[in-house]
Amino acid sequence: MSNTSNYTNKKALLSLAIGGFGIGLTEFVIMGILPNIANSMEISIPKAGHFIAIYALGVVIGAPVMARITNNLNPKKTLLFLMLWFTIFNTLSAFSGNYWVMMLFRFLSGMPHGAFFGIGAVVSGYLAKPGKAARAMAIMFSGLTIANILGVPLGTYIGQELHWSYSFILAGIAGIATLSSLYSWMPKEDLDEVEDPETQSTSPGLKNKKLWALIILTTVGTGGFFAWYSYIAPLATSVAKLPEDNVGYIMIVAGIGMFFGNFLGARMTEIFNPVKSVVISMLCMTAILLLNSLFASNDVVIFILSFSIGVITFTIAAPIQIAIIKAAKGAEKLGSSMNQSAFNMGNASGAYFGGLPMVFGLRVNYASVVGAILACIGAGIGISILYSMKAQKKKEALRS
């Protein structure tokens, strides 16, 4: 998709950002109200943690499945369908009376997540004026960052003070707001270029080694961030020795960093090749996570480091999405959606590997060392992609 007009449709991009806000809210708010859900359902906190894992599984499975299901719909109808699904099952989550019902609704709630961001990324590029696709994607992803700054703390407070079910009702309200804005502001006539189902399954883009290398990069590299973020609470309380109520403030500071990093990443994409931009970010992430493992014990420095990690991590969002869309030529929506699955696989793998040092009796700050290793491997994959791109250009030059 490419926009031939000379202006950016900001209202349509805002509707995507509102959807990103709702998705960010439902994905992260459950972490703050997990004890409340566990008490209400009379289950252990570790068992309640399954609700987080099953949501991530829903994202991983749902991204390609939803992209396929909606393949014959135009982009506007696709986004409306995905957000209607999101609204229904997040609202139903509020009325889950037991563990198994909640597991079902959390899985179904996660299914539209990856496809919405994946297809939204393709659409946002089309809504932007030429040369501004990265900034348009940053506007969409800004909803996710604002959810971390405002939505998650608000949803956590409501869930703790009133009842956990109200947190999911809040996500449902965000879904209704998104449906309304998509219906009113998202154009249809300008977005009629929908990939042919035959092209989707036979596109050379899906067989492109670069595409799969980028998906692996996303899975491994962003796992570095989640190795840190998954253990931010014990890092603050047991390493920095901060009171428990300061954890929320650290997460807000990290969220503010994500907001600025999101737009910085878009700017980097306009200066560098998207893959080169990702490599720079991954190398910076490696360095900042190593610094975090050394200096997070300081109760002031931990706030500075958390902000910095948030900035650096979200400089990756727009560049990697653009790189994926370019690599998946002919199957842009499916490739873009699959990359969102990769982010969530990075979430799960980062949390797992980040926790291994503690299994062997090491302090929680070693999770950041693991994160640095994962980010460094991601940078290495990116460098190999750049090298192969350079070699390919040389071959093409020789042929001509």
Side-chain angles (χ1 to χ4, degrees), residues 12-36:
L13 289 174
L14 179 59
S15 68
L16 293 174
I18 296 169
F21 176 89
I23 289 172
L25 173 62
T26 195
E27 182 176 19
F28 295 113
V29 75
I30 192 169
M31 297 172 186
I33 58 173
L34 210 58
N36 306 83

Side-chain angles (χ1 to χ4, degrees), residues 214-234:
L214 286 166
I215 288 173
I216 294 169
L217 188 161
T218 301
T219 304
V220 177
T222 59
F225 165 74
F226 288 109
W228 166 76
Y229 197 63
S230 300
Y231 303 100
I232 193 169

